[in-house]
């Protein structure tokens, strides 16, 4: 079973939305409370595309099994060479190398766009994602305590960074 990475297309939105809404409802990967509609997610992605940021999907046998993107880290002009990325795999497809394939593609794209630094913000409970990022050359740069509140508890944000050369 071969997994390929390609640019996002509008018809990818329903399976992507399924992945996003699963994470909203069942994980701390997204600090949102309310599931998104197709229209809301389409607008979020269109904003990224309009700003020149890439969105990639992982596909296996014509099924979208994951996606990843990056966009602004902060909105001040001097941050224009730093982006924050996100990578998600369908819950049934986690642990199959999708995250690595997507993050490799994001890194390649960022280098082509002269991005200098990739930032990830990961919930501290997600030790698997933190370890994954470390294997991918990211360094843990710090933890901000009690930055989110979800599932009736305070959550902590771990910042990881990879400087691209």
């Amino acid at each position: 079973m071969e997994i390929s990475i390609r640019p996002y297309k509008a018809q990818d939105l329903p399976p992507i939305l399924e992945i996003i809404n699963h994470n909203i409802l069942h994980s701390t990967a997204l600090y949102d409370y309310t599931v998104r509609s197709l229209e809301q997610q389409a607008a979020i992605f269109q904003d990224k595309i309009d700003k020149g940021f890439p969105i990639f999907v992982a596909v296996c046998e014509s099924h979208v099994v994951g996606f990843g993107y990056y966009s602004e880290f902060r909105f001040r002009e001097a941050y224009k060479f730093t982006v924050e990325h996100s990578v998600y795999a369908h819950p049934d497809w986690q642990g199959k190398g999708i995250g690595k394939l997507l993050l490799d593609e994001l890194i390649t794209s960022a280098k082509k766009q002269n991005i200098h630094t990739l930032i990830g913000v990961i919930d501290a409970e997600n030790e698997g994602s933190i370890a994954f990022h470390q294997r991918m050359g990211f360094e843990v740069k710090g933890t901000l305590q009690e930055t989110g509140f979800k599932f009736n508890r305070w959550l902590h944000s771990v910042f990881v960074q990879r400087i691209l050369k």
Side-chain angles (χ1 to χ4, degrees):
M1 141 173 59
E2 184 178 331
I3 299 167
S4 61
I5 306 299
R6 64 162 171 75
Y8 159 81
K9 300 175 187 174
Q11 60 263 33
D12 300 326
L13 203 53
I16 287 172
L17 188 64
E18 179 184 338
I19 295 167
I20 288 171
N21 284 338
H22 173 84
N23 279 285
I24 289 171
L25 292 173
H26 303 288
S27 80
T28 57
L30 283 161
Y31 280 15
D32 294 359
Y33 296 154
T34 307
V35 295
R36 298 179 188 168
S37 69
L38 278 172
E39 294 77 18
Q40 289 170 320
Q41 190 60 47
I44 290 168
F45 277 2
Q46 192 59 54
D47 179 62
K48 293 177 187 332
I49 291 166
D50 289 347
K51 292 176 180 173
F53 295 118
I55 303 168
F56 296 106
V57 295
V59 178
C60 183
E61 298 176 2
S62 76
H63 298 289
V64 173
V65 294
F67 70 98
Y69 60 86
Y70 58 77
S71 59
E72 303 99 335
F73 169 64
R74 306 262 330 245
F75 297 98
R76 301 284 188 255
E77 188 174 9
Y79 289 110
K80 67 183 174 182
F81 299 105
T82 300
V83 294
E84 181 179 340
H85 73 281
S86 295
V87 173
Y88 298 94
H90 188 282
D92 295 339
W93 287 83
Q94 292 176 352
K96 299 186 185 320
I98 293 168
K100 181 183 183 325
L101 292 171
L102 285 164
L103 192 50
D104 281 342
E105 191 70 28
L106 290 172
I107 290 167
T108 298
S109 179
K111 287 179 179 179
K112 288 178 185 173
Q113 289 187 317
N114 295 314
I115 299 298
H116 182 70
T117 305
L118 282 175
I119 301 291
V121 183
I122 307 166
D123 182 69
E125 295 176 4
N126 195 343
E127 294 173 359
S129 182
I130 296 166
F132 162 72
H133 279 83
Q134 290 174 311
R135 288 191 304 273
M136 294 294 293
F138 286 76
E139 296 178 15
V140 173
K141 292 300 183 178
T143 302
L144 299 179
Q145 302 292 312
E146 299 183 3
T147 53
F149 188 82
K150 187 173 180 180
F151 302 135
N152 207 31
R153 66 184 187 278
W154 285 106
L155 305 173
H156 316 303
S157 297
V158 174
F159 281 73
V160 296
Q161 176 186 33
R162 178 171 168 176
I163 296 176
L164 305 176
K165 307 213 185 228

